[in-house]
Amino acid sequence: MSTWLLPESLADILPAEARRVEELRRTLLDLYRTYGFELVAPPLVEYLESLLSAGGGDLSLRTCKLIDQLSGRTLGVRADMTPQVSRIDAHLLNREGVTRLCYCGSVLHAKPAGLLSDRELLQIGAEVFGHAGVEADIQIIELALESVRRAGVQMARVDLNHPGVSRAIIDADPALADAAQEIIELLSIKEVPAIVTLAQRYPDVRPDTVQALVTLTTLYGDTSVIARARDVLPGIPALGAALSELQTLVQALPGHDFSVDLADMGSGYGYHSGVVFSIYANGWHDALVRGGRYDGVGRAFGRVRPATGFSLDLRKLSEGLPPAPVAKAIRAPWGTDAALADALRDLRAKGEIVVQMLPGQPPRLDEFSVDRELILENGVWTIRAIHG
């Protein structure tokens, strides 16, 4: 086997693309700081119980496991940084009131999420802890939209949902207490015939519950879906409260393109506790950003806190953008005299890219466009434009 081959669904990032990914990382972390978010950097590997504190079998299946040679306990290579950031908030910082944290680091998936997905992601995100109101969700979605805008993404669309809608319908019928996850999966793929047969499999289920679940599969489209849901779904208080949160959020962020799908919960039913959102844009086959409210994740660390946040993969974000442009650079000759060294140091201090050519080095530089050169003219090192 060739030693240069990489495992399936893992890839190197070459110079120009790697530079753009790093520039995106700096841009977004600087953006989050202007919103008052503090940067944290949890370890790549932790005890498995901590990494899986968010619950859900999906996260466990995505997590690579290994044995710690020091303790003998099972470790996990993180597949998601959100549980780690929740641990930091709940256990290490242990602050009162609102805490805003941001992060960026590599995560590894045991298997790719899809046919076009990589197993290694460069995950960046932001989380707000300590505020249960919809105001925190509004701020998080605003920041997520600003993130993709700063990256150069045009015409982003926000897809909204709220697990409180489907949860209220299911919880209102005791006959479905043990079937919640199955029903959510059927709703997500809009499998109406299987939903209709629930009455046969669960004889005590109420007919109005089955009808409400079937109706839920039709509630997708623009934001008018929220008002329509009030008219056609049962008047359950928890359901109405969830719809009100969605309406408040849409009204607080005018000028953005929103869509709503009240049936599609994906794999986040047990994880999310409030507003859930994804951001899509032309040029990407899947969601660019995923986020939502996940109150209670800190319970595993001894402290229950309201929490909402989002994350995205910088590598996927960069791949959908136009090709990274080459950077302008200055070519300088090889030499060790003090005047040349001073000129190089001064140019680089001003932010210029200066490539000092080594003896015998060919002039080609793939990532840089050399449009100037440093020459010695009348005893002074001078910048001269290169034409042609």
Side-chain angles (χ1 to χ4, degrees):
M1 181 178 293
S2 299
T3 56
W4 53 266
L5 288 176
L6 291 175
E8 188 175 350
S9 299
L10 294 174
D12 294 308
I13 305 180
L14 299 182
E17 189 69 11
R19 174 176 57 84
R20 179 164 64 180
V21 169
E22 173 61 16
E23 289 173 350
L24 285 171
R25 185 189 70 86
R26 297 179 192 176
T27 296
L28 295 188
L29 288 179
D30 287 346
L31 169 66
Y32 303 160
R33 187 170 180 82
T34 66
Y35 277 69
F37 285 77
E38 301 171 273
L39 179 65
V40 294
L44 179 64
V45 178
E46 284 197 39
Y47 290 124
L48 188 62
E49 299 89 343
S50 177
L51 288 178
L52 301 184
S53 60
D58 181 61
L59 184 57
S60 179
L61 292 174
R62 287 189 284 130
T63 302
C64 294
K65 288 94 172 175
L66 64 152
I67 301 299
D68 183 10
Q69 297 300 309
L70 295 180
S71 67
R73 293 175 60 183
T74 303
L75 303 177
V77 181
R78 65 188 180 204
D80 181 13
M81 294 181 72
T82 300
Q84 296 183 296
V85 180
S86 299
R87 172 181 56 77
I88 290 173
D89 169 72
H91 184 65
L92 296 180
L93 296 178
N94 197 27
R95 296 172 178 169
E96 296 298 329
V98 173
T99 299
R100 295 176 175 87
L101 300 178
C102 61
Y103 57 87
C104 184
S106 293
V107 301
L108 179 67
H109 290 176
K111 295 181 179 180
L115 292 176
L116 301 178
S117 301
D118 291 325
R119 292 167 59 193
E120 182 184 4
L121 289 65
L122 183 56
Q123 188 180 56
I124 189 169
E127 318 286 336
V128 176
F129 299 94
H131 187 78
V134 71
E135 297 85 359
D137 301 293
I138 293 169
Q139 185 175 88
I140 278 294
I141 295 179
E142 177 188 20
L143 185 57
L145 284 165
E146 182 62 15
S147 296
V148 296
R149 191 192 71 79
R150 291 285 181 97
V153 176
Q154 304 294 321
M155 301 178 66
R157 186 187 85 251
V158 184
D159 187 61
L160 294 173
N161 195 358
H162 197 306
V165 174
S166 54
R167 185 175 288 128
I169 296 172
I170 296 170
D171 290 349
D173 195 329
L176 297 179
D178 298 327
Q181 187 57 48
E182 177 190 359
I183 293 171
I184 292 302
E185 292 172 359
L186 294 175
L187 288 171
S188 295
I189 60 175
K190 298 178 173 54
E191 185 60 46
V192 174
I195 294 173
V196 172
T197 62
L198 286 172
Q200 301 172 8
R201 297 171 51 204
Y202 300 92
D204 295 332
V205 67
R206 300 196 307 267
D208 61 308
T209 300
V210 175
Q211 182 56 51
L213 293 173
V214 171
T215 301
L216 203 56
T217 65
T218 68
L219 293 173
Y220 58 90
D222 59 25
T223 55
S224 65
V225 165
I226 301 172
R228 183 152 54 93
R230 291 187 184 278
D231 295 334
V232 298
L233 292 178
I236 304 170
L239 190 156
L243 293 175
S244 294
E245 284 190 17
L246 290 175
Q247 189 63 52
T248 299
L249 194 152
V250 169
Q251 291 174 346
L253 295 168
H256 295 292
D257 184 11
F258 286 100
S259 60
V260 179
D261 188 344
L262 295 180
D264 186 11
M265 276 306 305
S267 59
Y269 177 76
Y271 179 69
H272 290 292
S273 58
V275 172
V276 180
F277 69 94
S278 301
I279 297 179
Y280 295 86
N282 292 334
W284 287 267
H285 69 279
D286 196 5
L288 265 178
V289 182
R290 295 188 187 277
R293 179 163 288 278
Y294 55 99
D295 298 343
V297 171
R299 181 179 292 106
F301 309 112
R303 191 176 185 218
V304 177
R305 292 263 279 170
T308 182
F310 70 87
S311 66
L312 61 97
D313 176 15
L314 285 177
R315 295 171 63 156
K316 180 168 74 173
L317 173 62
S318 179
E319 287 173 358
L321 296 172
V326 295
K328 302 293 185 182
I330 299 169
R331 183 173 62 212
W334 174 253
T336 57
D337 68 276
L340 175 58
D342 287 344
L344 294 172
R345 189 179 302 110
D346 181 62
L347 286 168
R348 289 168 178 154
K350 295 176 180 177
E352 294 282 3
I353 299 171
V354 186
V355 183
Q356 191 175 19
M357 308 299 286
L358 298 174
Q361 179 182 349
R364 178 177 175 180
L365 298 168
D366 290 343
E367 190 188 349
F368 305 112
S369 172
V370 177
D371 62 344
R372 291 154 294 161
E373 61 180 345
L374 184 64
I375 61 170
L376 185 62
E377 192 171 65
N378 299 323
V380 178
W381 288 101
T382 305
I383 299 295
R384 181 178 68 183
I386 297 175
H387 302 287

